[in-house]
Amino acid sequence: MVKIVVLDGYTENPGDLSWEPLKKLGEVVVYDRTSYQDDPIIAERLKDADIAVINKTPITKNIIDLCPDLKAIAVLATGYNVVDCAYAGKKGIPVMNVPAYGTQIVGQYAVGLLLEICSHYGHHDQTVKEGKWERNDDWCYWDYPMIELYGKTAGIIGLGRIGCATAKILNAMEMKVIAYDVCKTEEGKQVAQYVDLDTLFRESDVIFLHCPLLESTEGIIHKGNIEKMKDGVILINNSRGQLVVEQDLADALNSGKVYAAGLDVVSTEPIRKDNPLLHAKNCLITPHISWAARDSRQRIMDITAENIRSFSEGHPIHVVNEFIN
């Protein structure tokens, strides 16, 4: 019987889903958490596993060498940079991911971050419940400037599936949507106007990051590019924290060059207490939960089960590396 070991299952299934789709495919051992820094513990848990199921637990060259029975790696996510995919491929191990499970919810969350910045719903709800409205001399009040998005320009860096989902929402709000992507698609042309990167920085009132983390995009939001932006621009990032040079963004927030940032990701997660964005002005940070709606996590479970089933039947799908068959 195939042995399937889940190394960090809690964020995928904190108790509101079932591992039954995987259990139908073999013996399943689920660990809620596994130390990310401890190769011996990771290797011990995978020592007789045929298939490793991971989310953020790293699978390095060293771990692969310590686990000679490992035949496949299934990632409970779209991103797979925690796996040494090239070395896995040399060892004949396919790495399978879950594409497109959270397109709509991540786009929804990105716009939600923007709306919170523009209207401060949570803050005003809290002040009402603390009694400020009942004590107020006027029939209404607001503690922050209210920002209307109608007619403003939104720039999207990365117009893939999620970028297009965000663009559709922004179009419905009657914003002008421009986008930068090295690959231009017909779907993208339907929802946004493609421009070069400098034009996007120069014209956007709001900038969304929806690009993958690549050598070409790491640190794409840095001091030099921030200087090209409008004064008072808003930045939204629920893609990858490493797209942003965090000290440069913190400095721009504190100076007012960037009016506000809505972030669901940071460079090191969980966030470190010395992250400069924790104390930056007008910086909204949530704990990497854009993807975490129950519906999207159920899709992850179902697609992962299908990945494992297809691998077991000899025709793996959603493979992200080249491997020796």
Side-chain angles (χ1 to χ4, degrees):
M1 178 180 288
V2 173
K3 184 171 182 180
I4 302 165
V5 175
V6 182
L7 286 179
D8 52 351
Y10 185 82
T11 51
E12 160 64 10
N13 178 19
D16 57 349
L17 301 180
S18 170
W19 293 106
E20 190 61 29
L22 271 60
K23 290 179 180 178
K24 292 178 180 178
L25 304 172
E27 176 191 354
V28 176
V29 177
V30 178
Y31 296 99
D32 281 347
R33 301 168 185 86
T34 300
S35 172
Y36 297 161
Q37 285 81 37
D38 200 328
D39 281 11
I41 289 179
I42 297 171
E44 174 65 23
R45 292 182 172 183
L46 291 177
K47 66 179 180 181
D48 55 355
D50 297 294
I51 299 172
V53 178
I54 60 119
N55 195 325
K56 296 294 185 288
T57 303
I59 303 297
T60 62
K61 176 182 182 294
N62 183 46
I63 291 168
I64 292 170
D65 285 340
L66 292 171
C67 302
D69 293 332
L70 194 62
K71 300 177 181 64
I73 300 167
V75 185
L76 293 161
T78 301
Y80 47 86
N81 57 300
V82 296
V83 181
D84 189 331
C85 292
Y87 190 71
K90 290 179 182 179
K91 290 291 187 176
I93 300 171
V95 179
M96 301 167 287
N97 77 334
V98 181
Y101 72 88
T103 300
Q104 303 304 327
I105 187 61
V106 177
Q108 171 188 312
Y109 198 95
V111 176
L113 288 170
L114 175 60
L115 293 176
E116 172 63 22
I117 286 169
C118 291
S119 298
H120 298 274
Y121 305 114
H123 166 82
H124 288 102
D125 168 72
Q126 182 178 352
T127 63
V128 167
K129 291 172 180 174
E130 290 172 348
K132 182 172 180 177
W133 197 8
E134 66 189 71
R135 297 189 301 268
N136 204 58
D137 292 333
D138 303 302
W139 61 274
C140 73
Y141 64 90
W142 54 94
D143 292 340
Y144 294 90
M146 299 287 106
I147 298 173
E148 182 180 64
L149 293 168
Y150 169 79
K152 289 185 170 60
T153 299
I156 301 175
I157 300 177
L159 200 62
R161 287 186 294 263
I162 294 172
C164 284
T166 298
K168 289 175 184 177
I169 301 172
L170 300 173
N171 283 327
M173 296 165 61
E174 297 191 59
M175 297 186 73
K176 178 183 177 181
V177 183
I178 60 177
Y180 169 78
D181 200 307
V182 293
C183 298
K184 298 177 175 63
T185 66
E186 287 305 314
E187 182 184 7
K189 292 175 184 177
Q190 295 298 314
V191 296
Q193 174 190 350
Y194 283 106
V195 297
D196 62 72
L197 192 56
D198 281 352
T199 298
L200 185 144
F201 287 140
R202 184 176 64 251
E203 295 187 0
S204 297
D205 298 294
V206 183
I207 295 174
F208 292 86
L209 300 182
H210 284 314
C211 52
L213 178 61
L214 305 169
E215 186 176 346
S216 59
T217 61
E218 184 173 4
I220 194 170
I221 303 301
H222 58 75
K223 182 179 180 181
N225 282 339
I226 291 171
E227 289 175 352
K228 300 174 185 177
M229 299 176 190
K230 286 184 177 181
D231 292 346
V233 68
I234 296 171
L235 178 72
I236 304 296
N237 183 19
N238 61 338
S239 181
R240 289 291 183 266
Q242 296 93 332
L243 300 173
V244 175
V245 179
E246 291 173 329
Q247 186 62 61
D248 290 356
L249 177 57
D251 292 343
L253 286 162
N254 290 331
S255 72
K257 172 67 177 181
V258 175
Y259 170 71
L263 311 174
D264 187 48
V265 289
V266 293
S267 60
T268 301
E269 297 173 348
I271 195 168
R272 293 171 44 147
K273 65 180 180 180
D274 62 351
N275 189 306
L277 294 168
L278 282 172
H279 305 290
K281 294 180 181 177
N282 293 340
C283 190
L284 173 66
I285 306 174
T286 58
H288 202 148
I289 52 175
S290 297
W291 66 284
R294 188 184 187 281
D295 288 342
S296 60
R297 288 185 290 109
Q298 184 63 60
R299 284 192 288 274
I300 292 173
M301 185 75 74
D302 294 342
I303 296 170
T304 298
E306 185 58 31
N307 285 347
I308 294 172
R309 179 183 298 106
S310 297
F311 167 76
S312 298
E313 293 173 353
H315 52 89
I317 60 173
H318 302 142
V319 177
V320 298
N321 64 334
E322 296 183 7
F323 66 100
I324 301 169
N325 201 336

